[in-house]
Amino acid sequence: MEINQTTMMMTSSLVDSMLFGASRALCSPFAVFIQIQGCVICLLLALGWAGAAYVRNREIRQMKKAMKDGNHFAFLSHDLDDLEHSKQVQLPGVTVVMPLKGFGEHNLHNWRTQLTSLYGGPLEFLFVVDSTEDPAYHAVSRLLLDFNDDVDARIIIAGPSTTCSQKIHNQLVGVENMHKGSKYVLFLDDDVRLHPGSVGALTAEMIKNPEIFIQTGYPLDLPSGSLGSYCIYEYHMPCSMGFATGGRTFFLWGGCMMMHADDFRTDKHGVVSGLRDGGYSDDMTLAAISGAHKRLITSPPVAVFPHPLASDLTFSRYWNYLRKQTFVLESYTSYVNYIMNRALFSVHCYLSWGFVSPYIMAIIHVTAALRFHFKDNLSEEPLLNPNGLRLVGGLVICTAIELLSMWNLTRIEVRLCNMLSPEAPPLSLGAYNWSLVFVAMVVDNFLYPISAIRSHFSQSINWSGIRYHLRNGKIHKIDRTMEKGKKFSDLAAKRLYARKGAQSKISILGSFSRSLAQWRQPKKFDV
């Protein structure tokens, strides 16, 4: 018994020495620099989110002012005169192209918000799937029956891709089938929940400034409660400040992109060939083309869209999603694009672990302080450097400021989305768990470099049941053998494949089929 007690005392003393030694070492100049750097990263993020909140809040104030002046349709246009029939009939034609893959829990609602747009000009919708065996084909077919030909919408079978990603292939097939009178083409993902005036707002900006090459927007994630969903919310939030400029931006989100239709008809700047010949990521490819030719990308302040995340979003699905996001940096269109992607890769990895490291150090400082406080047999020599706790206090303050700024931006974007969609059930900030947000910040930034390094060395990725292999930044091989074993997508658990001849169950769609809001339907193109 005495031997065991002696051993435990020696072990405890050794652990204390190592812990106190680590705490003192973390007060060295280099360690202090790392911890101060973490505080600076927190404050820079807070400053960026504050700027984004200002831009979004300015739009809210303008809408409120217009409503106070008697314009109760400010969610469609600040100027009530723009809604006059004489101006609406002059609006240009728009083709909405939606590449689809699989069918998930939020798809029907998202598609309805797109089909019930209040755009006053000619508007057509092209739902593009790779085959009739895709569950999305049957779901869209049933949905379009509910509209009884009130909208100009059709389903296009694109077939399997051979030289690019399936999404890009579907987009290009959609462009080939768009109406010859369309002036603009709007690419939307199936997880985009549009506001009634979104198409009109994007078109108005294109008309106002013909120099715009691409117009884009960004999603407002609505976490479902799981850690994986909060990690995705946290991953998107730093990028949100780049889309909340209210004008010019260098960022591009493939979920919402409006472009000139003639740019695709004439393959201007190689937009078609650049996407078709080995393209993996639509937004990264188009952003690279825009940068190479110094073309303008903008993001209007109203282009923020609610993005409810799947209720069963597991952590493993989040990891697969993160893998796909880091993998896009392995694709490139030119040597300059390659250098820029490598720079993004390096900077993001450095900042991610630069953000996480201070919290690991803070845990050591706090643990050492607690052990020092409760230790009975203290020596006369001071073992704990008080500067460690001062650094921890600074980190706590900077983290609180960062979370407060993130909360404020989310609050303002929720309010803006509610004003832009007055007919929809209001969104609420009360569902957000800010403790999980903090945990997700640490987890996501810790995993990002691991995912990025793995993507760099693998050079292949599974995207919705299809494995793409890259060579020199472009797709050179597509493996579809995984279709037999993979039935659900990684992120949203969408059903990807159906048995041949299978029909979607009425019970799945029935609850949605009678909920169409009484909005004026968009005009069709004149035949």
Side-chain angles (χ1 to χ4, degrees):
M1 183 67 70
E2 293 180 358
I3 296 176
N4 290 337
Q5 290 180 349
T6 303
T7 302
M8 291 177 61
M9 291 177 62
M10 292 178 61
T11 302
S12 176
S13 177
L14 179 61
V15 170
D16 289 344
S17 299
M18 293 177 62
L19 187 60
F20 296 151
S23 181
R24 291 196 302 271
L26 293 180
C27 292
S28 65
F30 177 73
V32 170
F33 167 77
I34 294 297
Q35 294 173 81
I36 293 176
Q37 175 186 258
C39 293
V40 171
I41 292 174
C42 288
L43 294 178
L44 288 176
L45 287 171
L47 183 63
W49 286 325
Y54 171 79
V55 172
R56 304 292 193 196
N57 198 42
R58 183 178 60 191
E59 181 65 23
I60 291 176
R61 292 196 302 269
Q62 292 176 351
M63 290 178 63
K64 287 183 175 179
K65 182 178 182 300
M67 294 173 67
K68 187 177 180 180
D69 293 340
N71 179 9
H72 299 294
F73 296 96
F75 64 97
L76 296 178
S77 175
H78 293 163
D79 189 351
L80 192 58
D81 292 338
D82 290 338
L83 302 178
E84 293 289 340
H85 178 73
S86 58
K87 291 189 176 181
Q88 291 286 298
V89 296
Q90 297 177 3
L91 290 174
V94 176
T95 295
V96 180
V97 176
M98 287 164 282
L100 306 180
K101 181 66 175 178
F103 177 66
E105 65 177 293
H106 298 297
N107 286 148
L108 271 175
H109 188 91
N110 297 338
W111 296 336
R112 284 184 178 277
T113 64
Q114 296 167 6
L115 290 170
T116 55
S117 170
L118 294 184
Y119 181 65
L123 185 61
E124 71 168 342
F125 300 89
L126 302 180
F127 296 88
V128 189
V129 296
D130 61 346
S131 73
T132 57
E133 296 179 23
D134 193 316
Y137 173 80
H138 302 292
V140 172
S141 299
R142 294 292 302 274
L143 177 64
L144 296 184
L145 289 176
D146 291 343
F147 285 86
N148 295 320
D149 297 327
D150 289 329
V151 297
D152 187 355
R154 25 186 193 125
I155 307 174
I156 297 174
I157 310 301
S161 62
T162 57
T163 62
C164 58
S165 69
Q166 187 64 48
K167 178 184 177 182
I168 289 178
H169 176 68
N170 288 8
Q171 289 173 325
L172 295 179
V173 171
V175 167
E176 291 173 359
N177 287 271
M178 66 181 173
H179 195 280
K180 61 181 180 180
S182 290
K183 186 173 182 180
Y184 304 113
V185 56
L186 174 60
F187 298 106
L188 294 177
D189 282 354
D190 60 5
D191 57 357
V192 174
R193 185 167 294 184
L194 286 186
H195 306 293
S198 293
V199 177
L202 293 170
T203 306
E205 292 295 324
M206 297 290 281
I207 296 174
K208 187 186 304 181
N209 185 1
E211 296 301 316
I212 294 176
F213 182 52
I214 309 174
Q215 244 190 134
T216 188
Y218 206 63
L220 167 63
D221 289 329
L222 307 174
S224 59
S226 65
L227 177 59
S229 66
Y230 278 99
C231 285
I232 291 174
Y233 163 74
E234 189 282 329
Y235 175 81
H236 283 157
M237 282 303 290
C239 299
S240 65
M241 63 184 72
F243 290 86
T245 61
R248 176 186 287 271
T249 181
F250 298 100
F251 296 86
L252 185 59
W253 178 51
C256 174
M257 302 185 298
M258 176 173 276
M259 301 180 65
H260 295 270
D262 282 343
D263 288 350
F264 286 89
R265 294 187 179 107
T266 61
D267 193 18
K268 189 171 185 178
H269 304 315
V271 293
V272 174
S273 55
L275 290 169
R276 180 191 59 216
D277 300 334
Y280 167 75
S281 171
D282 54 336
D283 47 14
M284 292 291 286
T285 301
L286 291 173
I289 292 174
S290 175
H293 295 275
K294 296 180 171 48
R295 296 301 306 273
L296 178 62
I297 300 176
T298 64
S299 181
V302 295
V304 54
F305 310 106
H307 180 215
L309 297 172
S311 58
D312 58 350
L313 200 157
T314 61
F315 192 80
S316 63
R317 292 198 183 105
Y318 150 71
W319 168 251
N320 288 325
Y321 174 78
L322 182 62
R323 284 272 290 112
K324 286 186 286 188
Q325 296 304 302
T326 57
F327 189 76
V328 299
L329 294 179
E330 301 304 314
S331 63
Y332 51 89
T333 59
S334 64
Y335 180 73
V336 173
N337 188 214
Y338 167 79
I339 296 298
M340 292 182 63
N341 284 1
R342 292 277 67 80
L344 284 173
F345 174 94
S346 303
V347 170
H348 201 157
C349 289
Y350 176 82
L351 292 178
S352 290
W353 276 352
F355 176 85
V356 173
S357 298
Y359 292 103
I360 298 175
M361 296 178 179
I363 291 174
I364 295 175
H365 284 310
V366 172
T367 304
L370 292 174
R371 184 65 178 167
F372 184 84
H373 178 75
F374 291 107
K375 188 174 175 62
D376 296 329
N377 53 339
L378 295 174
S379 61
E380 296 180 358
E381 180 184 356
L383 297 173
L384 192 67
N385 191 330
N387 290 332
L389 290 182
R390 295 190 182 100
L391 292 170
V392 172
L395 181 62
V396 170
I397 293 173
C398 293
T399 302
I401 294 173
E402 178 191 18
L403 287 172
L404 181 63
S405 182
M406 183 190 293
W407 168 83
N408 183 55
L409 174 59
T410 306
R411 176 184 64 87
I412 289 174
E413 289 187 337
V414 164
R415 182 185 300 176
L416 178 58
C417 286
N418 287 335
M419 294 183 68
L420 292 171
S421 293
E423 85 294 350
L427 307 177
S428 172
L429 198 66
Y432 287 76
N433 184 328
W434 293 98
S435 297
L436 269 180
V437 170
F438 170 73
V439 173
M441 288 167 56
V442 177
V443 171
D444 181 67
N445 282 283
F446 176 77
L447 291 177
Y448 182 90
I450 299 175
S451 175
I453 293 171
R454 181 177 175 183
S455 295
H456 176 69
F457 286 104
S458 68
Q459 290 296 301
S460 69
I461 192 72
N462 168 33
W463 186 3
S464 296
I466 304 173
R467 182 161 292 277
Y468 299 100
H469 301 264
L470 295 185
R471 178 185 294 167
N472 297 325
K474 295 183 178 294
I475 291 176
H476 80 98
K477 180 183 177 183
I478 301 176
D479 184 6
R480 299 179 183 275
T481 58
M482 296 190 66
E483 293 185 9
K484 297 179 180 179
K486 192 172 184 65
K487 297 181 180 179
F488 300 95
S489 67
D490 297 321
L491 178 58
K494 294 193 298 182
R495 184 169 292 277
L496 297 177
Y497 306 106
R499 288 176 296 181
K500 292 185 178 181
Q503 295 291 330
S504 297
K505 294 182 179 180
I506 297 177
S507 58
I508 297 179
L509 304 174
S511 60
F512 297 92
S513 62
R514 301 293 179 262
S515 61
L516 180 62
Q518 297 300 316
W519 293 104
R520 176 170 57 85
Q521 301 300 335
K523 295 179 181 179
K524 294 184 180 182
F525 279 90
D526 294 330
V527 179

